[in-house]
Amino acid sequence: MEESSELQSEENKVSNEKNKKRKLKTPAQLTALEKFYDEHKYPTEEMKVELAEELGLTEKQISGWFCHRRLKDKRLMKDEAVANGRQDRSSGVIQDRGSGLGQDSCGSSKHADYRYLDAKEVESHGFYNNEISVADMTQRRRNHYLENVSGVDDTSSESSSFLQERAFAQGQDPYDMDPSRHLTPNGALPPLNPKGAVNLGYKPSGYLKLKGEIEHAAITAVKKQLGRHYEEDGPLLGIEFDPPPPGAFECQTEDPANEPFCVANAPVLNSPEISAAKKPNLSSRYDSHYTKFNSQDLHMEGADFGSLHESDFQDKQDKKARQNIKQRQPYHGYNTHVSGRNPFPDLYEDSTGEASGYNSAKNHRMSTKHGVEGMRSDSASNHSDHFEEKLAIKPKDLMLHGYDKINPKRIQKSGHVKSKPSSSIRNSRVPMDTEERGLSARMAKEEMFKLDQKAKNTYRDVDGRLSNEILVAKRAKVDMLQQYHVKPSPVAEMEQRKIHRSAAEMPSSFSEDETAETSSSLDY
DNA sequence: TTGTGTTTTATTGCCTCC
DNA sequence: GGAGGCAATAAAACACAA
């Protein structure tokens, strides 16, 4: 009705829109992009094409978006690093600046870039289990910084990403993460990241080759931070593990075959819940919009996606949503944290927690601009508590809860340690420290390629039920979408996925590793 | 409502790697 | 030389305060 006429008029506008110099990505697109970005900082061309098709964008746009996204991260990280460096450098926790490779000592921006980007790669791949988006990391970094500002010790309150972050925060300028000083070329040891195996869609080239190195750089930095507290073969940080949540290693999906979103969209699916949990920081302008959509406008989403290509309707929706955002802006608090840790509809759709799930751009700003007041160190526990409250409501999401309710202070114990990184890191560290120079970059690449192929073949199925189901599910999804003339939208998928996923995929944070572990074990 | 600052998008040029 | 990436830049879109 309204929609159809609107859509028609939009088609007219579409052509006009095309003439516009720039067109904002729709929330759906941004969501998908961010999600994808969480998984793949450097998507392959195929990924880009696929993503472009799904989002109704051009590959060029995708590439450009990723490029700018990386720049954005970089910029943010740089700012944070500078700020933190200023803050903490005086503390002298780590003074590893002797090489003179500081950002001002090297005219080559590329060097700094490598260090920098690699640091990010560390986030997404090196510490995969805690795969925390840069956006989220940025957020957390802010919080972290704010915590530092507030003078509260953030001891062990961060995940591994945080550890790295911490390295930066406590005086180690990310730009000083010079691999040559910390590590070995062998860092490229591929399968470090089982998920990386899945994510290996990208071919490490150029600075990506240094990824592994930087991973180790980060590890080294963390080690330095931890000092004697670091135990190579024991639980990280000498902290006891939390018992895994019930069914943590079980597929929560009763019928995996009917769980299209377990497999339908690997790139997105690849995103661990934690990475998914970064949503709040994604496209800050739309955060709340997403929430609203998720909770109320799902049907509109469908229409939205139907006209995903060059749709003004979306723009209208966006504007509406933005207006809604404005109207709802007054709400803020720990939402950044909460929704940041769980972007799923479980929260959004929680009638009691719409506000919780709601995370507006303004909130984001609040957390950044006024974070000192609003995001004190206790916010960590607060947000997790808050989170637990919500989580407790839904037993089905035990997995999610079991994982996400992790108190930031526990992240090391459960989230990080429990999962693969610990072993992976350790494993990786073995060659790093002992045979670190034994594996050539080429070998690493080959290994990565193998894993990539493997991952592509298996398409990240959790317990061995592989591509058939995946394909079937994907086909079914596509068919259904076609049936309704709705273009497959990553976000639409997300919506559904969220529904199924809270229980089924949360374990994927574990199972991802498991999966990858399985595949990697199969590989080797 | 308007001015200002910020963010996002698009473009271009350069660099590195294959 | 082509591909992919980053940096710089411009401009549109947006947020926010006065």
Side-chain angles (χ1 to χ4, degrees):
Chain A
M1 311 169 271
E2 251 183 28
E3 281 185 4
S4 60
S5 60
E6 211 166 4
L7 286 173
Q8 287 180 350
S9 61
E10 283 155 20
E11 287 183 358
N12 298 333
K13 288 183 182 177
V14 167
S15 56
N16 297 335
E17 288 290 329
K18 282 183 179 178
N19 295 332
K20 276 192 175 182
K21 273 205 166 183
R22 56 177 287 244
K23 187 181 180 222
L24 291 182
K25 306 284 187 300
T26 67
Q29 290 169 334
L30 286 173
T31 302
L33 285 168
E34 289 285 357
K35 196 129 186 163
F36 200 96
Y37 178 79
D38 289 343
E39 294 296 317
H40 306 277
K41 299 283 187 295
Y42 296 87
T44 63
E45 189 174 354
E46 296 136 11
M47 291 176 178
K48 289 176 186 174
V49 170
E50 192 172 338
L51 196 57
E53 287 177 0
E54 290 206 6
L55 298 180
L57 298 171
T58 66
E59 188 184 345
K60 193 176 180 180
Q61 283 179 302
I62 298 295
S63 295
W65 186 89
F66 273 88
C67 180
H68 290 115
R69 187 65 181 77
R70 290 190 293 267
L71 289 174
K72 177 186 171 185
D73 284 340
K74 189 175 178 179
R75 190 176 65 246
L76 290 173
M77 288 184 70
K78 183 179 177 180
D79 292 342
E80 297 289 338
V82 169
N84 289 336
R86 257 192 240 122
Q87 276 289 327
D88 303 323
R89 199 158 287 159
S90 59
S91 68
V93 173
I94 289 182
Q95 295 293 340
D96 190 12
R97 307 174 60 82
S99 69
L101 288 177
Q103 64 189 108
D104 58 347
S105 66
C106 180
S108 171
S109 61
K110 286 289 180 185
H111 284 186
D113 291 346
Y114 292 163
R115 290 192 292 271
Y116 205 85
L117 289 171
D118 288 337
K120 286 186 292 184
E121 288 297 327
V122 171
E123 294 167 24
S124 64
H125 298 291
F127 296 122
Y128 30 92
N129 256 357
N130 297 295
E131 184 141 352
I132 293 168
S133 75
V134 172
D136 190 39
M137 187 171 133
T138 298
Q139 176 71 27
R140 298 188 185 200
R141 190 177 300 111
R142 285 196 179 102
N143 297 338
H144 172 77
Y145 171 57
L146 293 174
E147 287 172 11
N148 285 343
V149 168
S150 64
V152 177
D153 188 359
D154 60 339
T155 59
S156 73
S157 62
E158 288 109 323
S159 64
S160 53
S161 291
F162 292 174
L163 291 177
Q164 181 196 352
E165 185 181 341
R166 201 171 154 198
F168 299 163
Q170 293 190 2
Q172 177 129 349
D173 190 317
Y175 287 91
D176 282 344
M177 298 283 283
D178 183 357
S180 66
R181 275 179 292 143
H182 297 292
L183 307 171
T184 84
N186 185 22
L189 204 82
L192 266 187
N193 186 352
K195 175 153 95 173
V198 177
N199 293 344
L200 287 181
Y202 64 82
K203 309 169 214 154
S205 64
Y207 52 83
L208 283 184
K209 290 179 180 174
L210 297 174
K211 176 176 81 74
E213 298 176 5
I214 301 301
E215 279 180 5
H216 292 168
I219 294 169
T220 302
V222 171
K223 279 179 63 182
K224 288 187 176 184
Q225 294 275 328
L226 298 177
R228 58 187 174 84
H229 298 298
Y230 178 85
E231 295 181 19
E232 180 124 358
D233 291 323
L236 294 184
L237 310 178
I239 296 175
E240 294 179 3
F241 293 92
D242 281 350
F249 299 98
E250 299 173 4
C251 179
Q252 299 298 301
T253 307
E254 292 181 359
D255 185 3
N258 294 330
E259 228 307 337
F261 296 104
C262 265
V263 293
N265 190 338
V268 178
L269 283 176
N270 286 346
S271 54
E273 305 322 305
I274 287 194
S275 78
K278 322 162 182 163
K279 207 73 316 158
N281 296 324
L282 316 180
S283 59
S284 56
R285 291 181 188 178
Y286 299 104
D287 292 342
S288 56
H289 170 49
Y290 299 144
T291 302
K292 184 168 179 63
F293 263 170
N294 289 338
S295 60
Q296 300 175 1
D297 298 334
L298 206 50
H299 62 289
M300 295 173 71
E301 279 278 294
D304 196 10
F305 301 146
S307 57
L308 194 55
H309 295 268
E310 317 283 28
S311 170
D312 281 358
F313 183 65
Q314 282 185 310
D315 294 340
K316 290 180 181 177
Q317 294 293 329
D318 296 349
K319 283 174 183 173
K320 288 179 185 175
R322 286 166 197 162
Q323 287 187 340
N324 287 332
I325 292 173
K326 279 188 176 180
Q327 293 171 356
R328 302 171 128 202
Q329 276 174 349
Y331 183 89
H332 43 250
Y334 299 116
N335 296 336
T336 302
H337 273 315
V338 174
S339 58
R341 297 177 64 83
N342 185 357
F344 305 137
D346 302 289
L347 289 181
Y348 295 147
E349 293 177 358
D350 186 337
S351 58
T352 66
E354 179 182 340
S356 301
Y358 182 76
N359 177 29
S360 70
K362 185 165 187 175
N363 290 347
H364 189 176
R365 293 196 176 207
M366 286 293 296
S367 68
T368 57
K369 287 184 178 179
H370 311 296
V372 175
E373 296 82 5
M375 294 299 229
R376 297 194 166 279
S377 60
D378 57 351
S379 68
S381 58
N382 278 344
H383 89 264
S384 64
D385 292 342
H386 187 177
F387 201 65
E388 285 183 70
E389 286 179 13
K390 302 180 64 56
L391 295 173
I393 297 174
K394 303 197 171 190
K396 150 188 170 184
D397 299 331
L398 269 180
M399 295 310 301
L400 179 67
H401 307 170
Y403 193 79
D404 270 3
K405 78 176 181 178
I406 296 170
N407 187 306
K409 295 201 172 188
R410 288 177 161 185
I411 289 177
Q412 292 173 335
K413 309 195 228 173
S414 49
H416 172 62
V417 174
K418 167 192 315 182
S419 44
K420 211 156 169 208
S422 60
S423 62
S424 300
I425 290 174
R426 283 200 300 271
N427 292 339
S428 69
R429 282 181 43 72
V430 173
M432 176 182 79
D433 290 338
T434 61
E435 312 168 353
E436 53 188 27
R437 286 160 183 82
L439 205 63
S440 68
R442 175 172 290 278
M443 288 176 64
K445 285 179 67 176
E446 289 175 358
E447 294 296 332
M448 293 177 81
F449 179 76
K450 287 180 187 175
L451 282 176
D452 187 19
Q453 294 304 314
K454 174 84 180 178
K456 283 178 179 176
N457 291 336
T458 59
Y459 226 65
R460 102 178 268 94
D461 193 351
V462 172
D463 51 2
R465 289 182 288 268
L466 301 180
S467 42
N468 281 345
E469 292 176 4
I470 296 171
L471 293 175
V472 169
K474 188 164 189 172
R475 248 176 235 140
K477 181 195 71 174
V478 171
D479 290 344
M480 196 166 77
L481 290 170
Q482 286 176 345
Q483 180 179 354
Y484 291 96
H485 304 289
V486 173
K487 179 175 178 64
S489 162
V491 172
E493 294 174 8
M494 276 184 246
E495 295 301 331
Q496 267 189 289
R497 210 183 319 133
K498 290 177 199 168
I499 294 170
H500 295 286
R501 209 170 158 194
S502 54
E505 288 225 25
M506 199 50 229
S508 77
S509 290
F510 300 98
S511 61
E512 268 178 2
D513 298 325
E514 290 179 336
T515 305
E517 210 163 17
T518 302
S519 56
S520 63
S521 65
L522 289 174
D523 276 343
Y524 300 115

